[in-house]
Amino acid sequence: MEKLLMTPGPTNVPERVLNKMNEKMIHHRTSEYSNLFREFNERLKFVFQTSNNVLTFPSAGTGALEASIANCFSTGDRILAVSIGDFGDRFIQIAKIYGLTVDEIKVPWGKAVSLEEIKNNLKDYHKGLIITHNETSTGAVNPIKEIGEYLKDKNILYIVDAVSSLGGIDIRMDEWNIDVIVTASQKALMSPPGLSFVGVSKKAFEYCKVSNIPKFYFDFLNANKFLEKADPQNPYTPAVSLISAANEALAMIEEEGLNNVFLRHKILADKFREEIKGMGLNIFTDENALSNTITAISFENANDIKNRLEKEYNIIVAGGQGAAKGKMIRVGHMGCINEEMIYRTMNAIREII
Ligand SMILES: *Cc1c(COP(=O)(O)O)cnc(C)c1O
């Protein structure tokens, strides 16, 4: 049986996308590269549902989370942060390392934050709100649309970690007033790991101009300056092969249609969870916060289930993080995912239990 990645990144990469990395190298200061990068930038805007520029960096998603803090704020700035799990905690840790004062809303694992909690904690002195969209450690989704609508016209920068959702769950950067969206190549965008993408609003660029935190390689204003050249470029040598591969993945999303992609994720997630519940298993996440890209299943013997899936069925899933270590398996169903993969995973779990 072929290896199947049912993980929240890296995810299965389609043959078409893999093949792009096998092409002859092109030079990053040529019109050939600029043409590729121009097309890629347009496709990024399409999946981010924005007219803002989307910056590309050769890094993991965490690099872009760090860059969004370092570029948009200054030491001593006070922000509000929402954590509903491990990735929310990481974002808070980054903000603190850069000397920000962080007021935290901590929600019990498995739940989403409510708009009420945001309203009750947000103050005039908060320069920004940072929040995880899809909390990969718990399988819960925060209501970023409702929060964005509430924040409209407020003097605050709205920053969303959408690493495990963008390209799998509907996110409308412009319509929902999001100032900065961070994602990465290896999750719902079904590309190899190694690229991060950051959508940056005009308002966010204004914050960048007054930021006093040191940065060089990850400088948003500089990356944007090169992106806006008549022949778009990057300040430093880009990961040409990865960009070419990701461009093909975005072309596939375009061909399928964004709404069809979101619908496919929803149908497969619903199907998977229905079957899991039918087996008498417990979903870790609150019923009203369920993610379409990942399912967290509680198990007493989670490590055993995870190991058997790998050894006996060649299916890779993720284990629990932090306090949930050894107590859950997390099944990613994002990006290049179809019914057959869902059935194979369901059947394997059923046989094991
Ligand atoms: C995977 C993930 C990250 C980190 O991405 P890396 O590419 O591993 O750095 C951050 N946030 C969320 C929500 C994620 O799922």
Side-chain angles (χ1 to χ4, degrees):
M1 272 259 168
E2 211 179 312
K3 191 193 302 298
L4 179 59
L5 292 178
M6 297 297 286
T7 50
T11 58
N12 304 298
V13 179
E15 197 81 17
R16 249 177 86 176
V17 176
L18 286 174
N19 286 341
K20 282 288 166 182
M21 292 195 297
N22 210 16
E23 290 182 356
K24 267 209 158 56
M25 193 47 53
I26 61 174
H27 193 274
H28 62 290
R29 301 295 182 212
T30 59
S31 57
E32 195 181 7
Y33 175 76
S34 284
N35 289 339
L36 163 68
F37 194 46
R38 184 183 294 110
E39 183 175 73
F40 184 55
N41 287 329
E42 286 312 309
R43 288 186 171 145
L44 281 173
K45 288 180 176 188
F46 170 74
V47 294
F48 275 65
Q49 304 192 60
T50 187
S51 58
N52 294 313
N53 287 341
V54 181
L55 308 175
T56 296
F57 291 101
S59 82
T62 306
L65 290 177
E66 177 165 349
S68 69
I69 297 290
N71 278 274
C72 296
F73 298 111
S74 294
T75 41
D77 279 355
R78 191 160 176 182
I79 64 167
L80 184 62
V82 175
S83 175
I84 65 168
D86 215 40
F87 287 102
D89 288 349
R90 184 186 294 181
F91 209 0
I92 289 172
Q93 189 187 359
I94 295 170
K96 287 181 174 171
I97 281 171
Y98 277 92
L100 274 62
T101 302
V102 185
D103 294 325
E104 303 172 23
I105 302 178
K106 289 240 189 192
V107 174
W109 281 38
K111 295 184 186 309
V113 76
S114 68
L115 182 56
E116 279 311 302
E117 287 168 285
I118 302 286
K119 285 182 182 172
N120 292 340
N121 286 279
L122 191 69
K123 305 287 182 231
D124 285 345
Y125 49 69
H126 285 131
K127 277 244 175 122
L129 172 69
I130 64 174
I131 186 169
T132 317
H133 179 215
N134 187 72
E135 179 49 75
T136 320
S137 65
T138 68
V141 186
N142 276 319
I144 59 165
K145 170 178 187 273
E146 288 72 17
I147 296 169
E149 283 164 356
Y150 174 67
L151 294 179
K152 187 174 162 64
D153 300 327
K154 287 203 169 41
N155 196 15
I156 185 166
L157 209 65
Y158 183 29
I159 303 186
V160 176
D161 169 356
V163 175
S164 62
S165 49
L166 196 130
I169 305 175
D170 195 11
I171 303 175
R172 306 181 185 183
M173 182 171 191
D174 293 357
E175 235 180 277
W176 302 351
N177 312 304
I178 305 171
D179 293 300
V180 177
I181 299 187
V182 173
T183 195
S185 51
Q186 80 276 19
K187 300 202 180 183
L189 295 177
M190 57 185 186
S191 300
L195 294 177
S196 63
F197 311 115
V198 194
V200 186
S201 72
K202 291 197 171 56
K203 178 170 149 194
F205 277 122
E206 292 305 310
Y207 280 58
C208 294
K209 284 179 194 160
V210 297
S211 159
N212 73 358
I213 295 175
K215 60 253 164 193
F216 184 83
Y217 187 71
F218 282 98
D219 188 327
F220 283 4
L221 289 169
N222 198 34
N224 194 52
K225 190 175 95 186
F226 276 77
L227 186 150
E228 289 202 326
K229 286 178 182 223
D231 287 325
Q233 292 187 9
N234 314 79
Y236 317 106
T237 315
V240 176
S241 309
L242 290 178
I243 288 175
S244 178
N247 186 44
E248 189 70 11
L250 297 189
M252 289 176 72
I253 292 176
E254 235 173 45
E255 287 163 20
E256 186 176 349
L258 258 191
N259 287 331
N260 293 334
V261 170
F262 300 146
L263 189 63
R264 171 168 54 83
H265 280 80
K266 179 172 170 32
I267 290 170
L268 294 176
D270 286 346
K271 179 81 202 152
F272 184 63
R273 279 192 283 261
E274 188 187 312
E275 292 284 328
I276 289 295
K277 283 193 269 188
M279 293 177 212
L281 297 171
N282 285 324
I283 306 246
F284 177 80
T285 320
D286 251 30
E287 192 67 34
N288 60 3
L290 291 170
S291 158
N292 288 341
T293 57
I294 183 167
T295 296
I297 312 166
S298 301
F299 276 108
E300 284 303 322
N301 54 341
N303 287 336
D304 187 42
I305 306 277
K306 179 173 172 290
N307 291 337
R308 287 189 63 186
L309 281 170
E310 176 173 357
K311 293 210 172 65
E312 295 170 27
Y313 297 89
N314 215 7
I315 299 172
I316 316 294
V317 300
Q321 285 170 272
K325 238 192 177 81
K327 296 193 188 117
M328 69 161 77
I329 67 167
R330 294 175 302 132
V331 178
H333 30 78
M334 61 179 89
C336 175
I337 186 88
N338 59 34
E339 205 166 40
E340 190 189 324
M341 297 168 179
I342 291 285
Y343 275 100
R344 194 178 140 192
T345 309
M346 281 176 344
N347 290 337
I349 293 174
R350 187 181 291 112
E351 281 178 26
I352 290 174
I353 64 165

